[in-house]
Amino acid sequence: MSLNSFLMYLQQLLTMMNPKDEYSIALAKTALNATVSLAAASGKADPKTLRIMSIAESDFRMLVRYAEDFAGIPGQYLQNEQKRKSMGAFLDPHC
């Protein structure tokens, strides 16, 4: 999984999730945990992507808090791409 693919996936999770519903948050967190575990076990993600995936797992509550800033809007391709870039900078501000 590439970093871009992961950020797109994470954005989709945040878009589908309802940040005011604990069950919805738990489902999104479970999906994220399973994806990170699969990426690590498969060996098909580079170290930087795995590091950012791990950060997303540990900071998931913070992502939920800012879900409105990172969630996608159907049909808004350029705006969604900018939100993904912002989310990437949020997860890894040193890059």
Side-chain angles (χ1 to χ4, degrees):
M1 176 174 262
S2 69
L3 179 57
N4 189 51
S5 294
F6 173 69
L7 292 174
M8 289 177 81
Y9 173 73
L10 185 57
Q11 184 177 53
Q12 291 168 356
L13 284 179
L14 294 173
T15 301
M16 291 185 287
M17 176 201 71
N18 177 353
K20 296 177 183 176
D21 178 8
E22 285 300 318
Y23 180 66
S24 179
I25 293 167
L27 288 172
K29 175 72 171 162
T30 299
L32 176 61
N33 291 346
T35 301
V36 173
S37 295
L38 180 60
S42 73
K44 301 214 174 178
D46 63 82
K48 179 181 178 180
T49 301
L50 287 173
R51 183 172 48 80
I52 291 176
M53 290 172 125
S54 179
I55 293 167
E57 268 187 308
S58 62
D59 291 349
F60 189 71
R61 280 289 172 176
M62 190 65 70
L63 288 169
V64 170
R65 179 179 292 159
Y66 293 105
E68 188 175 308
D69 295 331
F70 301 133
I73 299 169
Q76 299 293 321
Y77 304 108
L78 295 176
Q79 185 177 1
N80 293 342
E81 182 179 356
Q82 184 58 45
K83 287 182 174 192
R84 281 192 302 279
K85 287 180 182 179
S86 295
M87 186 168 50
F90 176 82
L91 292 170
D92 189 17
H94 298 86
C95 284

